[in-house]
Every structure is written in structure tokens, then in C-alpha cells.
């Protein structure tokens, strides 16, 4: 069983992705080691497969770098349980960098 | 099981506020965010009815949200302000030209008049041309010094009473840290103030001084505001980068860290025996300066003489003394920089034209 998750990048994060993609659909197993897949696995997948340049701008210590906002289905991930949120099929995860000048 | 808004207890929570830890819904978020900015404006008496207020607009997230919120609050609470968008075109291709396109769209979206002043037009040197001459190492010095003046020049061209900038709580906390680390006491004092009016110059303020960057980005996202986000092509600004990373790490552990740092900065007082540099006017361009020749004029002199190092590093003070009383070198690109007295006089004439049937005295010194 696998699930697909829609990932999107903005706030400048798209610029460090392969081909500067703003959006990608990733396929992940629904469970890992018998446990449901969490958004942390989505982050690690993005870091290992989609980031082309300067991975430290996206991720540090096996999660997003402080200053990157994560929206899960249009909600702040801090309301949804952060790294431990269990991703569902067709979820949309948006990463927004806040580290750029205004 | 979705979490319910801790304010209205009705709608689904979509955001956790870094300031309070509350999880709240979209409508409550809009309301509290806007109300807090309104309270900042009212509590600090930032504006007077009839003020002409320029919004320093870069096309980035902070200034785009600021323009939207200023327009909204001005209408909702009837501040009676005349709002303008004021942008500086540093002349950085692939960066500022794109972000200015965003500002031009904002002009239409928010129906606000827009003035763009460019380094090229004001000084004869675009940042692209400066970088070509000085390289990528010290170009941020030029950009920073020229930008501050450019905004003041633009403000006088529009005869503004006030400039608001999009600096948010994170920016202020970052600047406090940097000024402490550098031991820059005069700047430490100034950077914590919500409004500065530099000796008769146009007042500047930061209505977002207490607004978290996270909330500004979220606000732009939920309101679907059109903003531009790319790093400046030339920006290494490594020092600020470290301060920013440090601050973000602190915030991750303890979200109140940002407001705590601002609070600390505000509470610090400069001992009365510390001598702060006194301010005078630049003898070349009339801009406020702590020396007879201001930093912008020294930098321009360096560019014109082909010795761009002139205004950088420890030698600046010496150079400023050396240039005092001498006429500016104009060999290459530089235009004759318009004197601030002339700009002020023009602003005053505009003011006089706007008021019909008044008896204001045009011979009085400018405001």
C-alpha cells in the first residue's frame, strides 16, 4: 500500500529544488516499520530526493530548518501535531521559507 | 479530530500563534492580527489625521502585508491618512526589477499611488554598476547607505509626513542582537524605537514592530496576497544571516524569545556619560550626518575617483574629515545629487499649493 502526497514550495524554497519545481507529487509507503507514515518522512523524502542545492536551507536535524513554515492541507502544522502528523493519501503539504528579506 | 479555535470555540483552528500559543481559526487570526497592529498604531500615536504616509514597498512579504493592512485599517478606523507606495529601485537586474513588478501590481490591487526612485536617477550609479566597480564584497555598504537616503528623497518628492516600513518583530530582535554583538550603542538605542524622527526629517515608523514574521507570512498566505520572494543576487550579508539563524533556533525552543529580546533592547539605557555623536547636515547634499560630509557623499566620491574603498572600513572618519570643504569629484557617471534644501523647498511649495485659501507662510523654514 502506498499513498501519494502533494508537496509545494514557496517563499524562495522552490529555488533550491531540482528544476526549481514549485510542486511535486510524491509516493510513499502508507506504513514504515508497522507505523503509519508521518510528515517527518515526507520532509526526509523531499530533502533526499527533491532538494538540489543547499539542503541546510530546507532541513536540519531530520526535520525542517527553523524558519520554514509547514502547512498541512492549509493548516499550520503546529496545530496538526508537527513532525508526528500521520499523512493521509492526497494530503497537501506546503513548505514556506520565511528567511528571505521583505 | 480537528482542533477548535480557542477564541471563538466554533471554527477549525488553522494556526498556532507564536505570541500566545493559542490555536485559532482563520477569521479570528485576521481579526487579532489587524487589531494588534491597530493597537500598536493607536497606543504609540503614530499618525495624525491628514498625514501623508508613504509605505516603503519592496514587493516582499512584509511590505506587501503592510500595504494591505494599512489600507484596511485606514478605511476601517477612519485614520484619515493619505497613503502612498514608495519604492527604491537599486538597479539590481534579476532581483529588484522583478520585485518592482509586484509593487506595480500592488498599486493596482490596492489603488494606491506609487513613486519609484532609482539609484541611477538619484546618484547616477545603479547597484549593478557599483558591483561592477567594487566587486561583491562591500557592495551592501553602498546599498544600505544609499537606500536610507533614497527613501528620504522620495518622501520629500511626495511631500510625505511619515514613512512606514515593514520591519517586523523578528527583524527588530535580529538588529538588537547585531548591535549588541557589534557594540554599536547609538544604533542599539535607535533600533528599538518604534518611531524615529531624525531632527526634523521625515518620521519613520514600524507598525509591525511587535508582529511575528510567522504571522506575517501566514497572513499573506491566507489572504492570498501577491508578494515576491527571492534573495538579493548580491546579498551575502553573512552577519545578519547568522543572527537570524540564531534567533530562529531560539524561537523554535521558546517562541517568546523574539518579544523578550525586543523587551530587553527597550529596557537597555545608554549611561549618561556615554557620548553619542552629534548630528549636523552634510555640506555637500544637506543630508543628516555626524560628519561634515555624509557617508553617501564619501561613497560617491570614491566611486567617481575610482577608489571605491574610500568610504569603507576604519578609514571612513578620516576620509570624511579630509573631504570637508572640498568640492565633489564628478568624473564619470555621477549626477549632481540634488541638495536636500532644494527638495525640502519643493515639498513646501507642494504643500502650499494643496492648501487652498490658507495663510501659511512660505518663507518659513521647511518642516
Amino acid at each position: 500500500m502506498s499513498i501519494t502526497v502533494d508537496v509545494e514550495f514557496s517563499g524562495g524554497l522552490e529555488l533550491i529544488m531540482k528544476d526549481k519545481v514549485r510542486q511535486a507529487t510524491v509516493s510513499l509507503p502508507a506504513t514504515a516499520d508497522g507505523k503509519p507514515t508521518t510528515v517527518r518522512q515526507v520532509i526526509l523524502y523531499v530533502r533526499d530526493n527533491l532538494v538540489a542545492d543547499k539542503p541546510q536551507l530546507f532541513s536540519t536535524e531530520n526535520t525542517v530548518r527553523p524558519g520554514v513554515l509547514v502547512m498541512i492541507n492549509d493548516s499550520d502544522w503546529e496545530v496538526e501535531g508537527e513532525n508526528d502528523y500521520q499523512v493521509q493519501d492526497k494530503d497537501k503539504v506546503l513548505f514556506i521559507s520565511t528567511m528571505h528579506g521583505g | 479530530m480537528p482542533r477548535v479555535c480557542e477564541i471563538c470555540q466554533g471554527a477549525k483552528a488553522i494556526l498556532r500563534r507564536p505570541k500566545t500559543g493559542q490555536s485559532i481559526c482563520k477569521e479570528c487570526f485576521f481579526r487579532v492580527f489587524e487589531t494588534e497592529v491597530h493597537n500598536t498604531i493607536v497606543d504609540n500615536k503614530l499618525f495624525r489625521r491628514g498625514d501623508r504616509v508613504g509605505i516603503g514597498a519592496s514587493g516582499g512579504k512584509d511590505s506587501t502585508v503592510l500595504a494591505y493592512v494599512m489600507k484596511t485599517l485606514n478605511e476601517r478606523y477612519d485614520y484619515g491618512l493619505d497613503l502612498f507606495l514608495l519604492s527604491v529601485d537599486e538597479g539590481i537586474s534579476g532581483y529588484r526589477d522583478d520585485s518592482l513588478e509586484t509593487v506595480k501590481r500592488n498599486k493596482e490591487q490596492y489603488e494606491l499611488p506609487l513613486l519609484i526612485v532609482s539609484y541611477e536617477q538619484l546618484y547616477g550609479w545603479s547597484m549593478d554598476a557599483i558591483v561592477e566597480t567594487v566587486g561583491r564584497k562591500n557592495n551592501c555598504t553602498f546599498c544600505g547607505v544609499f537606500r536610507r537616503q533614497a527613501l528620504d528623497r522620495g518622501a520629500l518628492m511626495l511631500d510625505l509626513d511619515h514613512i512606514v516600513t515593514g520591519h517586523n518583530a523578528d527583524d527588530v530582535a535580529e538588529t538588537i542582537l547585531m548591535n549588541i554583538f557589534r557594540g554599536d550603542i547609538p544604533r542599539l538605542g535607535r533600533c528599538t524605537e518604534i518611531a524615529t524622527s531624525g531632527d526634523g526629517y521625515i518620521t519613520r515608523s514600524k507598525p509591525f514592530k511587535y508582529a511575528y514574521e510567522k504571522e506575517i507570512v501566514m497572513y499573506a498566505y491566507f489572504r492570498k496576497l501577491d508578494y515576491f520572494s527571492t534573495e538579493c543576487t548580491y546579498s551575502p550579508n553573512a552577519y545578519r544571516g547568522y543572527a537570524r539563524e540564531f534567533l530562529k533556533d531560539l524561537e523554535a525552543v521558546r517562541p517568546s524569545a523574539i518579544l523578550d529580546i525586543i523587551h530587553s533592547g527597550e529596557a537597555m539605557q545608554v549611561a549618561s556619560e556615554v557620548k553619542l555623536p552629534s548630528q549636523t547636515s552634510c555640506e555637500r547634499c544637506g543630508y543628516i550626518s555626524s560628519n561634515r560630509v555624509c557617508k553617501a557623499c564619501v561613497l560617491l566620491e570614491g566611486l567617481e575617483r575610482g577608489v571605491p574603498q574610500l568610504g569603507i572600513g576604519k578609514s571612513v572618519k578620516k576620509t570624511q574629515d579630509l573631504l570637508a570643504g572640498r568640492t565633489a569629484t564628478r568624473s564619470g557617471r555621477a549626477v549632481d545629487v540634488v541638495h536636500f534644501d532644494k527638495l525640502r523647498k519643493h515639498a513646501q511649495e507642494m504643500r502650499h499649493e494643496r492648501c487652498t485659501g490658507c495663510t501659511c507662510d512660505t518663507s518659513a523654514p521647511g518642516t
Side-chain angles (χ1 to χ4, degrees), chain B residues 134-149:
Chain B
V134 309
R136 288 183 172 234
K137 197 151 171 266
N138 288 311
N139 67 80
C140 289
T141 305
F142 288 83
C143 201
V145 171
F146 286 165
R147 184 177 314 100
R148 187 170 175 88
Q149 242 206 46

Side-chain angles (χ1 to χ4, degrees), chain B residues 11-52:
Chain B
K12 178 182 178 297
I14 49 88
L15 163 133
R16 184 157 80 194
R17 299 200 73 196
K19 242 184 222 186
T20 61
Q22 281 177 314
S23 295
I24 60 175
C25 72
K26 201 194 284 187
E27 287 309 315
C28 286
F29 170 54
F30 289 153
R31 202 184 56 249
V32 294
F33 182 85
E34 289 158 6
T35 306
E36 284 179 5
V37 177
H38 169 66
N39 290 343
T40 303
I41 289 171
V42 173
D43 292 349
N44 294 285
K45 301 190 177 65
L46 291 187
F47 311 117
R48 278 174 309 188
R49 199 171 183 79
D51 272 356
R52 294 164 65 84

